[in-house]
Amino acid sequence: MMKVLIAGALCIASLYYSQNYPVSAIPENLKKNANVVVRRDLTTVQINKIDEIKYQFNTVTTVLNKDGDHNALVFIPYEKGNTISDVKVTIYDEAGKKIKSFSKSDFNDFANNPQGAFYTDNRVLALPYTSIQYPYTVDFSYQITNENTVFIPDFVPFTNTNISLEEGEFKVINKSGIELRTKVYPSKYNYTSVQENDNGSEKTYTYKNVPAIDDAFLLPQPVKILPKVSFSLAKFNLEGKEGSINSWEDFGVWYYNSILQPVSVSTPTIKAEVAALNLQGSKEDKVKKLFQHMQSRTRYIFVALGIGGWQPMMPDEVNKKGYGDCKGLTNYMKTLLDEAGIPSHYCVVNSNASQVSFDPAFPKMGGNHVILMVPTENGNIWLENTSQQIAFNHLSFNTTDRNVLSIKKNGIELIDTPVYAAEKSKEKQNMKIQVNEDNSILGEGKFEFTGSQYDYALAYTGLSPKERNEALKNQMDVLSFEKIEMKDFINDRDHAVAKFNVDFKAVNYSKNAGSSIIFRAVPLFSNTVYKNEENRELPFEIGQAFEDEYNISFIIPKNYKIDEVPNDININSEFGTYKLSFVKNGEELKVIRTVKVNKGIYSKEKYNDYINFRKKMMNIDNSKILITKI
């Protein structure tokens, strides 16, 4: 009997110990490259009926160091009408000893406006807790009931780098009688896999022992590396409006009729506004004039109101107030075009620097941004309506090279946005540089940017002249500037070109060698540190294709001659090309540099080949020119 009691006591002690999550119990492979180890991530989704879905969440997160704090924040996002219950939080120390417990009453309630929302129905309960010791563990659980059944989240191991997962489980219990479609997207790189257990109305998906993805150079976003499971309910509710997602077509009809049509309302004021513009010329001319008119009288403010934050503001409200979010401004622009008799399509997109497209074979609610597409005989015109400065018919790198949900009366059509090839994403430099005997240089430069490089240059538009000079100085920090001035900045919004001129003086550019002077062939170049990796574990991504075209004229001091010049160089690689050539003309030396880099995701085996390609470019940029006193 004593043996039984001892055995029972050991079992109870073991259970108690295991529930306290000592850090010593974490497998060593999950600590590698990790700031945070998710010990458990358990989600149960119970679909009761078309307008009732219940979520039960339990996450146990061990924070190994200060860099992991932001991944262990305790908060509950919610909307009006949600029911939140069974909120429990327990904090443990490194040994698994309980430090403190919290309940729902300890949380603070805030408007959930991470983007600085002006109007929002979204709110968040947040626990104001900060740990003073590391490691520590947070055991956090709660239940929330929602009437909106269209947003069943994807199941992924984690979404950020330097997080590992010990165990993750996503269980869906479907009591609604409505078809629930699921789709597993395996990891393209065999990073980990998901286990699936389908028991009729109950489906369970599990990840186990998923190591952290280290934040390596040129790493694709985790969403492109990890597997995921997506869910879509064939019939759903959104703020009292029921719909179906049996196909993109029928979902689009619902979206058009339930979300867009109620707010696609013009007014006499808007009619008069369009008439006053006296639109003439081609369709492209009319669209451009309307778009730039809209830009001139509106500004972007995030608004999350109306059918779960998905319905745009009324056009008349945008017209009167002069502001709106991407939905409101796009709908307002669409209404202006309607009044001009020009059809256009409201398009939902996944806006992110890393391209994410919708699956044509798996319709579901998604996207985080809205743009407008105007079909013409000469091709589609794309309008980004949230920026007062962006050019007509230009999309930034956050929305190019992916598909969109083009919402039409008869359904959704998936349409691809433009892709900017390297030759269309160009930086042109034309520089004239006076080389001085005191090792300084005086320079005049003309700069021009198109394509995705235009997007980066667009950041200068919101800066004062002083701020522009300082930003330029920081960007071109390979030179030691004594002075630098940006002049004549032009944002050509008709052709998506940014231009400016630069005057500068830089010191310590050259070095003396007896009666000679040595200086670098390329004044401005990337000083990124490129390191080889012998044990690269994952692929690398070149996010944007681009082309740089530099024409540099060096004027040497009088009584000097051009003595030694590097040979012309031409490098070809699957990652791009590099050319550097030299032309001597008396006291002038012209340097012509052209670089082209191709975008894409490349295998880990090619990583060092790419690094060596970039290193070669940098070494050649540092080629030396020798001039000698006569």
Side-chain angles (χ1 to χ4, degrees):
M1 184 65 178
M2 182 61 69
K3 291 180 179 179
V4 173
L5 290 174
I6 291 172
L10 288 173
C11 288
I12 293 171
S14 177
L15 178 63
Y16 177 80
Y17 185 70
S18 68
Q19 292 299 308
N20 292 352
Y21 304 101
V23 175
S24 60
I26 299 174
E28 285 302 313
N29 71 307
L30 297 186
K31 294 180 182 178
K32 182 182 178 182
N33 301 323
N35 298 322
V36 164
V37 180
V38 179
R39 317 292 291 277
R40 296 175 65 190
D41 182 6
L42 309 181
T43 300
T44 299
V45 181
Q46 184 170 299
I47 307 166
N48 294 322
K49 50 185 179 178
I50 195 171
D51 59 353
E52 184 178 303
I53 188 167
K54 184 177 183 179
Y55 295 92
Q56 183 172 332
F57 299 102
N58 178 211
T59 57
V60 181
T61 305
T62 295
V63 179
L64 300 177
N65 52 57
K66 190 173 180 62
D67 290 335
D69 279 339
H70 66 284
N71 289 305
L73 299 176
V74 179
F75 63 95
I76 305 171
Y78 73 97
E79 297 178 356
K80 182 176 64 176
N82 294 164
T83 301
I84 301 169
S85 62
D86 296 335
V87 180
K88 298 176 184 178
V89 181
T90 306
I91 311 295
Y92 299 99
D93 66 10
E94 181 176 3
K97 182 180 178 181
K98 177 180 170 182
I99 298 175
K100 197 169 184 179
S101 293
F102 302 92
S103 64
K104 184 178 177 181
S105 61
D106 297 306
F107 283 64
N108 294 328
D109 195 337
F110 302 97
N112 187 9
N113 57 348
Q115 300 183 55
F118 195 68
Y119 293 127
T120 178
D121 281 333
N122 301 323
R123 299 196 65 80
V124 61
L125 292 174
L127 181 67
Y129 175 80
T130 303
S131 178
I132 58 173
Q133 61 182 16
Y134 299 91
Y136 66 93
T137 298
V138 181
D139 186 347
F140 174 34
S141 62
Y142 69 96
Q143 293 185 14
I144 185 168
T145 303
N146 196 330
E147 66 175 13
N148 296 326
T149 53
V150 72
F151 304 111
I152 302 177
D154 290 340
F155 180 43
V156 294
F158 38 76
T159 57
N160 294 318
T161 56
N162 305 113
I163 301 174
S164 63
L165 174 66
E166 196 165 347
E167 179 187 8
E169 180 183 280
F170 196 100
K171 180 184 293 185
V172 184
I173 303 170
N174 186 5
K175 296 184 175 182
S176 67
I178 303 169
E179 179 191 3
L180 176 68
R181 290 189 299 274
T182 64
K183 186 168 183 177
V184 176
Y185 297 85
S187 167
K188 294 180 180 179
Y189 308 102
N190 298 316
Y191 194 81
T192 190
S193 60
V194 59
Q195 298 175 357
E196 181 178 4
N197 183 15
D198 190 343
N199 187 21
S201 62
E202 186 173 307
K203 301 176 186 290
T204 304
Y205 300 87
T206 307
Y207 299 110
K208 288 189 176 180
N209 296 317
V210 184
I213 296 175
D214 194 20
D215 190 15
F217 185 56
L218 297 177
L219 181 77
Q221 290 191 349
V223 67
K224 291 189 174 183
I225 297 170
L226 296 167
K228 74 173 181 179
V229 186
S230 288
F231 307 88
S232 182
L233 204 57
K235 294 181 180 180
F236 63 86
N237 175 71
L238 179 58
E239 300 292 330
K241 293 190 179 291
E242 296 183 1
S244 61
I245 315 182
N246 291 302
S247 65
W248 284 120
E249 287 74 21
D250 69 337
F251 180 51
V253 169
W254 174 86
Y255 203 116
Y256 182 87
N257 290 325
S258 298
I259 291 185
L260 296 185
Q261 276 301 93
V263 294
S264 297
V265 181
S266 186
T267 64
T269 300
I270 292 175
K271 292 178 186 292
E273 180 183 4
V274 174
L277 292 173
N278 190 27
L279 300 173
Q280 296 179 359
S282 66
K283 180 185 286 189
E284 288 82 357
D285 293 335
K286 294 175 181 178
V287 175
K288 182 192 293 185
K289 189 168 185 177
L290 278 169
F291 176 69
Q292 294 180 347
H293 164 76
M294 183 276 298
Q295 285 181 301
S296 70
R297 62 183 317 276
T298 60
R299 59 194 173 100
Y300 173 82
I301 291 180
F302 180 64
V303 179
L305 296 173
I307 308 188
W310 285 76
Q311 190 166 61
M313 295 168 59
M314 295 289 286
D316 188 50
E317 189 176 3
V318 177
N319 178 274
K320 290 177 180 177
K321 295 181 176 179
Y323 62 71
D325 63 4
C326 64
K327 304 182 301 294
L329 294 172
T330 298
N331 188 50
Y332 174 54
M333 183 64 207
K334 186 178 187 306
T335 304
L336 294 176
L337 289 167
D338 287 343
E339 285 298 336
I342 301 173
S344 61
H345 302 297
Y346 185 97
C347 296
V348 180
V349 64
N350 288 300
S351 175
N352 195 288
S354 189
Q355 300 90 349
V356 176
S357 286
F358 297 96
D359 183 350
F362 193 79
K364 64 170 292 186
M365 184 67 128
N368 61 0
H369 187 54
V370 173
I371 55 181
L372 198 66
M373 186 273 285
V374 184
T376 76
E377 293 181 355
N378 299 319
N380 296 330
I381 294 174
W382 295 92
L383 303 178
E384 170 54 71
N385 303 286
T386 58
S387 171
Q388 295 172 294
Q389 303 298 335
I390 200 166
F392 168 73
N393 197 19
H394 176 84
L395 295 181
S396 75
F397 55 81
N398 284 322
T399 51
T400 52
D401 194 17
R402 68 204 72 193
N403 65 18
V404 302
L405 304 181
S406 177
I407 314 296
K408 301 180 180 181
K409 186 175 183 179
N410 58 351
I412 283 174
E413 182 180 0
L414 274 70
I415 301 176
D416 293 333
T417 59
V419 178
Y420 295 138
E423 56 271 18
K424 291 187 177 180
S425 292
K426 184 174 285 190
E427 176 189 352
K428 290 184 179 181
Q429 285 186 22
N430 286 288
M431 300 184 69
K432 186 175 182 179
I433 294 177
Q434 173 68 53
V435 179
N436 299 320
E437 291 186 79
D438 64 357
N439 303 127
S440 69
I441 54 173
L442 291 173
E444 297 177 353
K446 296 181 181 294
F447 292 74
E448 183 176 299
F449 304 87
T450 59
S452 59
Q453 302 217 58
Y454 166 80
D455 298 329
Y456 294 108
L458 205 58
Y460 290 118
T461 59
L463 303 180
S464 67
K466 182 179 179 181
E467 291 171 331
R468 287 176 181 172
N469 293 340
E470 192 63 31
L472 201 61
K473 182 179 179 180
N474 292 334
Q475 182 184 352
M476 301 177 177
D477 61 359
V478 292
L479 294 178
S480 298
F481 288 106
E482 185 175 286
K483 67 174 184 177
I484 184 169
E485 182 183 5
M486 180 189 292
K487 302 188 299 184
D488 308 318
F489 180 86
I490 297 173
N491 173 22
D492 183 347
R493 294 192 295 132
D494 290 338
H495 304 99
V497 181
K499 304 176 184 179
F500 56 80
N501 298 328
V502 176
D503 284 347
F504 65 87
K505 180 179 182 180
V507 297
N508 302 321
Y509 184 74
S510 61
K511 291 182 178 180
N512 294 324
S515 61
S516 300
I517 296 176
I518 302 170
F519 57 90
R520 191 172 66 240
V522 179
L524 297 173
F525 66 99
S526 169
N527 61 349
T528 302
V529 177
Y530 293 98
K531 294 183 179 180
N532 293 85
E533 293 183 23
E534 296 306 319
N535 298 304
R536 179 81 182 195
E537 296 179 346
L538 289 167
F540 66 99
E541 181 175 20
I542 304 173
Q544 299 295 328
F546 66 89
E547 186 171 288
D548 293 342
E549 186 181 287
Y550 296 179
N551 287 279
I552 308 155
S553 293
F554 286 103
I555 310 299
I556 66 173
K558 290 184 177 180
N559 302 321
Y560 277 77
K561 66 176 182 178
I562 301 170
D563 204 345
E564 294 183 13
V565 174
N567 295 325
D568 293 352
I569 296 175
N570 190 344
I571 301 174
N572 290 300
S573 162
E574 69 173 301
F575 311 112
T577 58
Y578 176 96
K579 296 178 182 179
L580 191 69
S581 60
F582 302 85
V583 178
K584 291 190 286 186
N585 182 19
E587 295 180 350
E588 182 179 359
L589 174 65
K590 189 171 184 179
V591 180
I592 303 167
R593 175 187 185 268
T594 304
V595 173
K596 178 181 178 182
V597 174
N598 304 320
K599 69 177 295 183
I601 296 181
Y602 298 86
S603 69
K604 62 183 180 181
E605 289 79 13
K606 295 180 179 180
Y607 178 78
N608 285 334
D609 292 338
Y610 175 71
I611 294 301
N612 292 333
F613 170 64
R614 296 307 298 258
K615 283 182 175 180
K616 284 181 182 178
M617 288 171 50
M618 290 183 65
N619 289 336
I620 299 168
D621 285 342
N622 273 294
S623 298
K624 299 302 189 288
I625 296 166
L626 179 70
I627 59 175
T628 303
K629 200 164 190 175
I630 300 172

